[in-house]
Amino acid sequence: MDGHVNGTVVLKQGRAKPALQRHPWVFSGAIERIEGAPTDGDIVDVRDAGNNWLARGYLNRQSQIVVRLLTWHQDQAIDADFWRRRLAQAVSGRHRLAGDPSTTAYRLVHAESDYLPGLVVDRYGDWLAVQFLTQGVERWRAEIVSALVSLVTPKGVYERSDVDVREREGLPQRRGLVWGEEPPEHIEIVENGHRLPVDIREGQKTGAYLDQRENRARLAPFCLGADVLDAFSYTGAFAVAAAAAGAERVTLVDSSGPALDLARRAMALNGYQRADYVEGDVFSVLRKYRAERRTFNVIVVDPPKLAASSREVERASRAYKDVNLLAFQLLQPGGILFTTSCSGAVSADLFQKIIFGAALDAGREAQIVGWLSQGSDHPVALTFPEGLYLKGLICRAL
Ligand code: SAH
């Protein structure tokens, strides 16, 4: 690939501030005109209305985000060496995790927040799972894969670009081995010292919810002797953490049968034979528990992204409130609600208000005893506050 600059995007008068402040996105509404004949995926320069050079990035007119910016240095070329250096920077930011034998899976590249817009790379032991989310990084896939291979020497690189956002970019979904050896059906990773089987071919996201790793460690101190409910358990990573921390009883609820099958394997791998696996809708299962007066000491509520955009915030807020209200009603006095939201469109502030409303309507006094966020391998660039998406609270109900 050659990365010569193939056009210039000129911004409207008064619309240069985000680019000047190094925000990586140029929206269509900020653009006056595009000069030259660039094709989508090409490298373009961005200039302000007075023709001053601002930044350089890659173009896609099919997206609302027409340019994703890569550099603010006019003499920096976007070539194979550029990608290699950016990747090396992201990899070196994880050197502490890389040297920690109690965790073998973590995010290596967190897209915009690692100054690599559109690119996600997760490490699962000897395999890498990659997502090329935009035309701009799709163009450089060969260079990116080869740089990753030389930087981390994996056994194989598996692509999981089977996500809807690719279609908004005008790209087909894609999945499969891109380099090296096929991964086994289940890669066994270690997280906080616990063994977890991960299916990077068929699993959700790139196989696991790595962003919750530090939160799983935060759950442990509440679990000794506890009756724990893991709602939206997926493959049971919270349940394993709870069992390892001495939970008396663990109940997992998820709507996905395959996820629960993997959860059974995960528990068995760590030597925990007894747990209850409930396949079903969390909202109905929790209502049934309420009717049966079943209670718990600790409840983890980790729903999927309920608001995909700001338009869905109101509906999502009602769902977050409903499920957390039910959870408060099922908690024993002194019980712990460990609740999260991975919807970027729901702010930490709003989430706290939702949890307040849920406690109030459940008739429970509750205190916040901890704040949760995404792990350090999912950083947030200060120039890109949108990178913060996971938030949560640890609440004690009286
Ligand atoms: N806690 C998990 C991640 C949860 S992701 C972990 O730490 O790995 C959200 C999960 O919710 C997915 O496994 C999905 O299958 C499940 N899910 C989505 N909607 C659901 C519903 N209404 N009832 C039960 N499970 C649901």
Side-chain angles (χ1 to χ4, degrees), residues 204 209 212 216 230-238 253-256 259 280-283 302-304:
Q204 297 178 22
Y209 291 83
Q212 294 277 22
R216 294 188 191 105
D230 182 4
F232 306 97
S233 67
Y234 186 48
T235 53
F238 275 111
V253 184
D254 201 280
S255 54
S256 160
D281 170 46
V282 164
F283 294 81
D302 181 24

Side-chain angles (χ1 to χ4, degrees), residues 2-16:
D2 100 63
H4 65 255
V5 179
N6 248 349
T8 302
V9 170
V10 182
L11 301 184
K12 288 179 182 160
Q13 186 72 43
R15 301 299 290 270

Side-chain angles (χ1 to χ4, degrees), residues 46 63 205 367:
V46 175
S63 166
K205 289 183 96 180
Q367 303 162 312

Side-chain angles (χ1 to χ4, degrees), residues 268-283:
L269 263 179
N270 294 281
Y272 312 119
Q273 301 303 339
R274 272 199 22 250
D276 299 314
Y277 302 87
V278 181
E279 185 176 334
D281 170 46
V282 164
F283 294 81

Side-chain angles (χ1 to χ4, degrees), residues 123-277:
R123 175 175 206 160
Y124 292 98
D126 288 328
W127 272 268
L128 299 182
V130 294
Q131 295 181 314
F132 299 99
L133 301 173
T134 58
Q135 291 263 6
V137 285
E138 178 77 13
R139 286 280 189 99
W140 293 92
R141 48 189 293 135
E143 289 80 1
I144 289 168
V145 169
S146 119
L148 284 168
V149 166
S150 71
L151 285 165
V152 294
T153 57
K155 282 191 179 153
V157 181
Y158 197 84
E159 178 168 10
R160 286 300 306 271
S161 303
D162 48 334
V163 283
D164 297 343
V165 290
R166 288 261 298 189
E167 274 150 33
R168 271 186 264 147
E169 284 274 318
L171 290 166
Q173 297 199 13
R174 219 166 143 167
R175 161 163 48 169
L177 189 72
V178 289
W179 184 87
E181 257 177 66
E182 273 287 341
E185 187 187 354
H186 300 130
I187 297 177
E188 194 182 309
I189 62 152
V190 184
E191 181 188 88
N192 302 326
H194 312 309
R195 298 161 67 189
L196 300 172
V198 177
D199 179 355
I200 70 167
R201 286 201 198 82
E202 306 275 340
Q204 297 178 22
K205 289 183 96 180
T206 61
Y209 291 83
L210 300 173
D211 50 1
Q212 294 277 22
R213 182 187 58 258
E214 293 174 11
N215 298 334
R216 294 188 191 105
R218 300 275 302 277
L219 177 70
F222 301 103
C223 293
L224 184 63
D227 189 346
V228 178
L229 172 63
D230 182 4
F232 306 97
S233 67
Y234 186 48
T235 53
F238 275 111
V240 167
E248 181 71 31
R249 185 170 174 186
V250 182
T251 305
L252 299 81
V253 184
D254 201 280
S255 54
S256 160
L260 288 174
D261 287 342
L262 215 48
R264 282 188 190 87
R265 298 177 71 109
M267 292 289 265
L269 263 179
N270 294 281
Y272 312 119
Q273 301 303 339
R274 272 199 22 250
D276 299 314
Y277 302 87

Side-chain angles (χ1 to χ4, degrees), residues 38-42 58-63 66 135-136 139 169:
T39 59
D40 288 333
D42 278 359
Y58 60 72
L59 181 78
N60 188 355
R61 276 166 291 213
Q62 296 172 64
S63 166
V66 176
Q135 291 263 6
R139 286 280 189 99
E169 284 274 318

Side-chain angles (χ1 to χ4, degrees), residues 72-394:
W72 284 262
H73 296 286
Q74 196 166 3
D75 55 1
Q76 184 162 44
I78 309 304
D79 52 16
D81 194 49
F82 166 86
W83 295 101
R84 173 182 301 271
R85 275 181 285 127
R86 282 284 163 91
L87 288 163
Q89 190 178 55
V91 169
S92 79
R94 277 77 175 172
H95 75 276
R96 244 181 252 105
L97 275 167
D100 174 3
S102 67
T103 287
T104 62
Y106 47 89
R107 180 151 292 190
L108 266 183
V109 177
H110 190 44
E112 270 77 348
S113 285
D114 274 305
Y115 314 99
L116 287 160
L119 181 68
V120 168
V121 184
D122 288 332
R123 175 175 206 160
Y124 292 98
D126 288 328
W127 272 268
L128 299 182
V130 294
Q131 295 181 314
F132 299 99
L133 301 173
T134 58
Q135 291 263 6
V137 285
E138 178 77 13
R139 286 280 189 99
W140 293 92
R141 48 189 293 135
E143 289 80 1
I144 289 168
V145 169
S146 119
L148 284 168
V149 166
S150 71
L151 285 165
V152 294
T153 57
K155 282 191 179 153
V157 181
Y158 197 84
E159 178 168 10
R160 286 300 306 271
S161 303
D162 48 334
V163 283
D164 297 343
V165 290
R166 288 261 298 189
E167 274 150 33
R168 271 186 264 147
E169 284 274 318
L171 290 166
Q173 297 199 13
R174 219 166 143 167
R175 161 163 48 169
L177 189 72
V178 289
W179 184 87
E181 257 177 66
E182 273 287 341
E185 187 187 354
H186 300 130
I187 297 177
E188 194 182 309
I189 62 152
V190 184
E191 181 188 88
N192 302 326
H194 312 309
R195 298 161 67 189
L196 300 172
V198 177
D199 179 355
I200 70 167
R201 286 201 198 82
E202 306 275 340
Q204 297 178 22
K205 289 183 96 180
T206 61
Y209 291 83
L210 300 173
D211 50 1
Q212 294 277 22
R213 182 187 58 258
E214 293 174 11
N215 298 334
R216 294 188 191 105
R218 300 275 302 277
L219 177 70
F222 301 103
C223 293
L224 184 63
D227 189 346
V228 178
L229 172 63
D230 182 4
F232 306 97
S233 67
Y234 186 48
T235 53
F238 275 111
V240 167
E248 181 71 31
R249 185 170 174 186
V250 182
T251 305
L252 299 81
V253 184
D254 201 280
S255 54
S256 160
L260 288 174
D261 287 342
L262 215 48
R264 282 188 190 87
R265 298 177 71 109
M267 292 289 265
L269 263 179
N270 294 281
Y272 312 119
Q273 301 303 339
R274 272 199 22 250
D276 299 314
Y277 302 87
V278 181
E279 185 176 334
D281 170 46
V282 164
F283 294 81
S284 345
V285 173
L286 267 52
R287 261 184 227 107
K288 183 176 81 98
Y289 287 158
R290 184 176 60 188
E292 294 167 358
R293 304 196 175 280
R294 172 105 165 78
T295 57
F296 299 88
N297 304 110
V298 176
I299 302 181
V300 178
V301 177
D302 181 24
K305 195 203 275 188
L306 297 177
S309 71
S310 51
R311 282 190 305 277
E312 294 173 10
V313 166
E314 225 180 278
R315 199 185 53 197
S317 300
R318 279 196 295 276
Y320 282 121
K321 182 175 170 187
D322 284 351
V323 70
N324 284 288
L325 194 162
L326 284 162
F328 273 123
Q329 291 173 324
L330 298 180
L331 275 179
Q332 289 189 10
I336 293 291
L337 172 64
F338 200 94
T339 182
T340 65
S341 159
C342 61
S343 304
V346 174
S347 68
D349 229 38
L350 173 60
F351 189 61
Q352 184 173 324
K353 290 194 178 97
I354 294 168
I355 301 306
F356 159 66
L360 201 63
D361 287 9
R364 292 299 285 269
E365 286 288 349
Q367 303 162 312
I368 299 172
V369 297
W371 283 262
L372 305 169
S373 188
Q374 60 216 53
S376 59
D377 50 335
H378 293 63
V380 182
L382 283 169
T383 47
F384 185 64
E386 293 87 342
L388 176 65
Y389 64 99
L390 181 61
K391 74 283 306 175
L393 296 169
I394 309 174

